Amino acid sequence: MMHFMLLFSRQGKLRLQKWFIAIGEREKKKIIREMTQSVLARQPKTCNFMDWKDLKIVYKRYASLYICCGMEDQDNELLTIEIMHRYVELLDKYFGNVCELDIIFNFEKAYFILDEFLMGGEVQETSKLSVSKCIEESDLMQETMEEYMSKPAF
């Protein structure tokens, strides 16, 4: 099971965090600091897997963003890389070639896409088409609700 997923920039700025286990804020900040420092300090051609405390850390760089996942020792690293890649594909499909600014200015949509894809640290839906359909339906419902709320009530 995945314990957390972090998205951060090459400068170490956290852009998105999702925790799948209950842990205190102080511990979260410590983990975030240690993960960003250790991932950013690694050479570009090194392995994308690390052992850290009792977890396996899997990370991958996409343009100016790093995606970093902490998972249990018995989990499959290649499957985690595939999960991260699928999430980036979903973001690309929604935003059209996603970039760091899309995550910054539309973080609620990035979280929504992640929640449609992962639940409790496990993959909820493997089909890109199904996840994309849910996202489109949500956008349509949100637009309809905004339209409804903007009309005056008599």
Side-chain angles (χ1 to χ4, degrees):
M1 180 181 105
M2 195 178 299
H3 287 221
F4 59 84
M5 179 184 271
L6 307 173
L7 271 76
F8 52 90
S9 69
R10 286 188 297 181
Q11 292 77 31
K13 300 269 189 198
L14 187 65
R15 299 301 181 201
L16 185 112
Q17 60 178 321
K18 185 69 175 178
W19 299 87
F20 301 106
I21 57 167
I23 115 180
E25 286 300 315
R26 180 175 282 178
E27 186 66 23
K28 284 180 185 180
K29 287 180 182 177
K30 183 180 175 192
I31 291 171
I32 290 167
R33 186 176 59 251
E34 289 181 23
M35 286 301 100
T36 55
Q37 288 174 351
S38 59
V39 168
L40 292 173
R42 291 174 67 95
Q43 295 295 319
K45 298 287 183 184
T46 57
C47 180
N48 290 5
F49 311 140
M50 300 186 306
D51 287 324
W52 181 76
K53 296 188 179 179
D54 60 337
L55 297 176
K56 282 186 204 172
I57 305 302
V58 178
Y59 69 93
K60 186 156 174 63
R61 180 178 167 195
Y62 289 94
S64 64
L65 282 176
Y66 283 91
I67 299 179
C68 177
C69 295
M71 51 192 238
E72 292 177 352
D73 213 23
Q74 70 270 13
D75 288 341
N76 186 337
E77 300 95 340
L78 296 176
L79 184 60
T80 304
I81 289 265
E82 205 52 43
I83 289 169
M84 293 187 305
H85 188 69
R86 178 57 54 101
Y87 180 55
V88 171
E89 286 178 334
L90 289 166
L91 291 172
D92 273 343
K93 187 170 173 71
Y94 184 79
F95 292 112
N97 199 13
V98 68
C99 68
E100 187 176 350
L101 290 175
D102 292 324
I103 304 292
I104 293 169
F105 293 117
N106 299 295
F107 66 90
E108 66 283 334
K109 192 52 75 173
Y111 276 114
F112 180 77
I113 293 169
L114 185 60
D115 289 340
E116 283 295 319
F117 177 54
L118 291 175
M119 180 181 281
E122 300 289 338
V123 175
Q124 174 177 282
E125 179 60 64
T126 57
S127 168
K128 281 192 288 190
L129 189 64
S130 295
V131 174
S132 297
K133 186 178 175 195
C134 288
I135 295 164
E136 288 171 14
E137 288 172 358
S138 170
D139 284 347
L140 183 64
M141 185 172 68
Q142 185 177 359
E143 288 171 12
T144 305
M145 193 61 153
E146 288 172 357
E147 195 176 291
Y148 175 76
M149 296 304 283
S150 68
K151 291 182 180 177
F154 293 104

